[in-house]
Amino acid sequence: MQMNGYVKKNRVIFLAVCALIFTMIIIIKYAQLAFIKTIPNLPAPPTVQRGSIVDKNGKPLAVSTNFYHVGVTPSAIPNVAHFVQLIAPVLGESEAVLTATITNAKNSNFVYLKKKIDQATYDNVKAICDKNKFHFTRFDRIPGRVYPENSLASQLIGYMGDSGSGLAGIEYSMQSKLSPPQNPDDIVDTQGKNVYLTIDANLQFKLEKIAHNAMERTQAESLMLIAAEAKTGEIISYISLPSANLNDYGHASDAEKRDRPAADAYEPGSVFKVFSVATFLESGAINANDRFFCDGLYERTMPSGERIRITCLEHHGWVTAREALAGSCNDALAQMSEKIESEHFLARIRALGFGSRTEVELPGETTGVVRKTSDRLWSARSKPTIAIGQEITVSALQMVQAATAIANGGVPAQLTFISRITSYDGRDEYIHTPTYHKQVLKKETADYLLSCMETVANIGTGTRAKRRGISIGVKTGTAQMLDPATGGYSKTDFLSNCIAIFPIQSPKIVLYIVIQKAVGETYAGRIVAPVIGDAADVIIDHLGLARENATAIEHSGRIDIANDTPISIGNTLPDFTGFSKRQLLPLLGRTDIQIKISGDGWVTSQNPPPGTPVTQDMEIELFLE
């Protein structure tokens, strides 16, 4: 056959070659898709399941929840547009952003699309992926934190950041227990420990209410309150106001985040006189019968020409140490300081714990300042001034620990916030046993000081702390605060504080309250002593301590509590009705199910109902009253 002029032989050959090449490309691509192994979707790595922080009775204060990072293997997505169209609205992202993220990572094994989505979003995204068989997706469970009591004891509990590490408080100091380091070779999740605090959340709530009322009434800038068991050193309430909502910690102010009882060092004023008298008596510099004449002014001229002038609010006349404490006499305390050598005085103050950290389980604790005689600012005025609570700085924790020495016959108890530590399934791994420091006061000295503090409450500056049926000893103090602008003492800013020990006959509680920068009335005997009384009243009733002249009722000591057996979840849900929140705590460590608890007390209802088959990652809601 003869070709016409248009259809040339060379053109036909060229077209045939192109078609052959095109066919070969298609065959090669098909072979690659059919036979070349695709990059597998990487499995989610094991995680650390952070333990819970609970109060001494097991009430949850910080519990773990789950957030999720959503990621994909870009090379395994057959239709990016279809996938993005379904997923973007649920993730709250634009299709363009997700498409760009996937496209830019097409040569990577894995890329995250969005981090830290909540449980509800995760459930919706996973349902879409399961329905459409999007096997190239991956969900990495990330530990999160929920604080059921919001701002309750917030500076003590602390806060866990987005990285899973504690940033403050117990969350920070107990990081290695709550979230143990993970072995790189682990193939299963690591379980953290549960930390039981010594505070009682219900008592904490009652005392915080009193503290908030005091703040509002005095228009103060801040307030601190610590209540501790004298015999064990266990702190049963710890308050620093203002406080932060731990569930909205990122928006809290620096003042709300500040742990004042541990971090703040301040001059305590006349409250410190009780510890000064302790050193004078213990050293033999004075005795209980020595008398000192107060004419309203302590004035001395030293051989160097230095003049010392310390005023007293009253002309107390001849007074003993007991009477000097009752009337908070500056003149008498300054005279007592003359009887003791400076180095000996400072050594005994340090023996009481001042100038050193108490070593409680909190970060950022101050040492305070106890000067040395070699310090540049030491002068002839320093010793009598320290004796009345100035030229020395302390922390609220130091004041409480030193007071336990008076309550315990001269032996300070080591303060602690940790009652016990358990494994995720509730097995005890640590139980606090009281520890004590070296005896710093003779028992007769401690007992005498305790009786002096009772005198202060009965007829001295602390009478407003008295309450029905409570034998209590107190010491009040009002101190001018330093003015950072001038370097001297402020004429408007005062720190008012009061320390208490009760009951006197068998001391069980040390209570200390500090109110800073109150507006108007500032004398501690008028604004802090009443708060001490109100708080002591609540503590006595909450702990069931006997009041003076109260009718005694005998009890066998045995209380039967139903449903005290461990909760077991098999293939179907049990009936949780009647179980307490404490018994539910071990369930919070489960990684195969999601437990949501609403309310306090005991379980009254649940969703899903008993008998429902248990499935992976199912959500169980328990309602307590």
Side-chain angles (χ1 to χ4, degrees):
M1 180 180 71
Q2 185 170 350
M3 297 182 179
N4 59 35
Y6 179 76
V7 181
K8 301 291 186 179
K9 182 178 180 181
N10 289 341
R11 291 179 178 175
V12 173
I13 294 173
F14 175 76
L15 291 174
V17 170
C18 289
L20 180 62
I21 292 172
F22 180 72
T23 304
M24 291 299 295
I25 291 174
I26 293 175
I27 294 172
I28 291 171
K29 289 292 184 181
Y30 177 80
Q32 288 178 332
L33 293 174
F35 301 108
I36 294 177
K37 188 176 181 181
T38 59
I39 299 171
N41 188 25
L42 299 176
T47 60
V48 177
Q49 299 299 309
R50 193 176 184 87
S52 297
I53 299 174
V54 301
D55 82 340
K56 66 187 303 180
N57 301 311
K59 185 172 186 174
L61 301 175
V63 294
S64 292
T65 187
N66 288 325
F67 295 107
Y68 297 87
H69 293 346
V70 185
V72 295
T73 302
S75 61
I77 305 177
N79 189 333
V80 173
H82 176 61
F83 170 68
V84 166
Q85 185 181 27
L86 294 177
I87 295 298
V90 184
L91 289 180
E93 297 287 346
S94 71
E95 294 184 24
V97 168
L98 293 186
T99 300
T101 300
I102 295 170
T103 303
N104 294 336
K106 61 183 179 181
N107 296 322
S108 303
N109 290 347
F110 184 80
V111 65
Y112 282 118
L113 298 182
K114 190 167 185 177
K115 292 185 175 182
K116 206 175 181 183
I117 63 173
D118 59 26
Q119 184 71 40
T121 304
Y122 160 77
D123 290 340
N124 291 334
V125 173
K126 193 171 187 305
I128 292 173
C129 292
D130 290 345
K131 179 180 179 180
N132 293 274
K133 296 182 170 53
F134 292 154
H135 301 307
F136 45 81
T137 55
R138 189 179 91 189
F139 300 91
D140 292 346
R141 186 169 57 222
I142 305 300
R145 214 61 163 159
V146 172
Y147 300 94
E149 303 302 326
N150 296 315
S151 62
L152 191 82
S154 64
Q155 291 91 346
L156 171 59
I157 297 167
Y159 180 73
M160 188 193 79
D162 292 342
S163 66
S165 296
L167 300 180
I170 294 297
E171 291 275 35
Y172 175 86
S173 63
M174 300 300 289
Q175 171 71 18
S176 63
K177 296 293 184 183
L178 293 165
S179 186
Q182 191 170 34
N183 188 321
D185 298 328
D186 285 347
I187 59 175
V188 296
D189 291 344
T190 300
Q191 301 293 335
K193 314 299 181 186
N194 297 319
V195 175
Y196 283 71
L197 301 181
T198 54
I199 68 166
D200 182 321
N202 291 329
L203 176 62
Q204 178 82 12
F205 175 80
K206 295 174 184 177
L207 294 180
E208 283 197 12
K209 184 176 181 180
I210 290 174
H212 279 291
N213 288 340
M215 282 269 288
E216 183 177 351
R217 185 170 60 253
T218 62
Q219 300 179 57
E221 181 180 277
S222 65
L223 183 148
M224 296 179 262
L225 183 153
I226 302 176
E229 292 183 354
K231 303 300 182 187
T232 67
E234 294 189 357
I235 295 174
I236 58 175
S237 184
Y238 188 79
I239 298 171
S240 179
L241 298 181
S243 57
N245 182 345
L246 295 176
N247 291 308
D248 192 26
Y249 195 75
H251 293 96
S253 67
D254 290 341
E256 291 171 331
K257 295 177 182 177
R258 187 165 183 80
D259 181 7
R260 296 177 184 274
D264 281 9
Y266 55 88
E267 292 186 354
S270 294
V271 169
F272 195 77
K273 289 174 182 173
V274 71
F275 301 113
S276 296
V277 170
T279 67
F280 302 149
L281 290 167
E282 191 66 18
S283 66
I286 67 168
N287 63 55
N289 296 318
D290 287 342
R291 299 175 71 82
F292 304 86
F293 185 76
C294 167
D295 60 3
L297 177 66
Y298 175 82
E299 192 170 23
R300 297 289 187 273
T301 300
M302 309 308 293
S304 63
E306 182 181 357
R307 294 189 63 188
I308 306 170
R309 183 181 175 88
I310 298 174
T311 59
C312 191
L313 293 177
E314 302 285 346
H315 292 68
H316 294 102
W318 290 101
V319 293
T320 62
R322 178 188 300 275
E323 293 163 340
L325 289 175
S328 202
C329 179
N330 290 341
D331 192 351
L333 263 291
Q335 293 179 53
M336 293 179 202
S337 72
E338 295 176 355
K339 307 289 186 180
I340 189 172
E341 194 268 333
S342 297
E343 292 290 355
H344 193 186
F345 177 49
L346 296 175
R348 288 196 175 275
I349 287 174
R350 293 190 182 97
L352 285 165
F354 298 106
S356 302
R357 296 181 180 88
T358 64
E359 303 299 338
V360 293
E361 305 88 352
L362 282 177
E365 186 183 4
T366 181
T367 61
V369 175
V370 177
R371 285 181 178 168
K372 298 179 181 179
T373 56
S374 58
D375 288 350
R376 179 177 59 87
L377 295 177
W378 182 269
S379 68
R381 179 187 173 87
S382 294
K383 185 170 56 170
T385 305
I386 291 173
I388 63 173
Q390 295 178 335
E391 284 195 38
I392 182 172
T393 63
V394 304
S395 73
L397 285 168
Q398 288 173 342
M399 294 290 282
V400 171
Q401 185 156 286
T404 64
I406 298 175
N408 292 332
V411 181
Q414 173 61 47
L415 298 181
T416 184
F417 290 105
I418 307 301
S419 173
R420 61 187 179 118
I421 299 174
T422 70
S423 61
Y424 74 97
D425 56 358
R427 290 179 288 105
D428 285 330
E429 297 195 356
Y430 164 83
I431 298 178
H432 172 251
T433 55
T435 58
Y436 301 94
H437 295 277
K438 180 181 178 181
Q439 185 160 359
V440 294
L441 300 173
K442 293 189 288 288
K443 186 177 187 305
E444 52 267 33
T445 302
D447 290 346
Y448 175 74
L449 290 167
L450 197 59
S451 71
C452 288
M453 292 176 68
E454 185 177 23
T455 300
V456 176
N458 288 336
I459 62 172
T461 59
T463 55
R464 299 190 184 194
K466 288 287 289 182
R467 292 295 183 275
R468 177 186 59 83
I470 302 177
S471 60
I472 189 171
V474 303
K475 183 67 190 83
T476 63
T478 307
Q480 285 178 282
M481 299 183 69
L482 291 175
D483 185 342
T486 65
Y489 287 104
S490 170
K491 295 181 179 180
T492 58
D493 295 338
F494 293 85
L495 181 144
S496 310
N497 58 147
C498 182
I499 197 157
I501 299 174
F502 60 92
I504 290 293
Q505 293 78 8
S506 178
K508 290 182 173 60
I509 301 297
V510 173
L511 175 62
Y512 182 54
I513 300 177
V514 181
I515 294 177
Q516 291 179 296
K517 297 185 179 181
V519 176
E521 181 62 74
T522 59
Y523 284 112
R526 297 172 186 167
I527 67 171
V528 186
V531 186
I532 283 279
D534 292 343
D537 222 4
V538 166
I539 292 171
I540 287 282
D541 289 341
H542 185 87
L543 298 182
L545 301 179
R547 292 180 180 269
E548 290 180 311
N549 304 318
T551 303
I553 301 176
E554 292 189 359
H555 192 279
S556 66
R558 178 183 175 85
I559 301 175
D560 294 323
I561 301 177
N563 281 342
D564 201 26
T565 56
I567 300 174
S568 176
I569 299 180
N571 295 327
T572 59
L573 286 183
D575 186 351
F576 291 98
T577 303
F579 282 99
S580 68
K581 182 178 280 191
R582 180 175 179 178
Q583 290 172 282
L584 300 173
L585 186 61
L587 298 180
L588 299 176
R590 296 277 294 260
T591 59
D592 56 334
I593 55 177
Q594 305 296 321
I595 301 292
K596 291 188 176 181
I597 300 174
S598 300
D600 291 309
W602 289 264
V603 178
T604 57
S605 61
Q606 68 186 77
N607 182 39
T612 302
V614 175
T615 58
Q616 181 69 27
D617 294 327
M618 77 180 299
E619 183 177 291
I620 304 168
E621 292 183 289
L622 302 175
F623 302 93
L624 284 63
E625 293 183 6

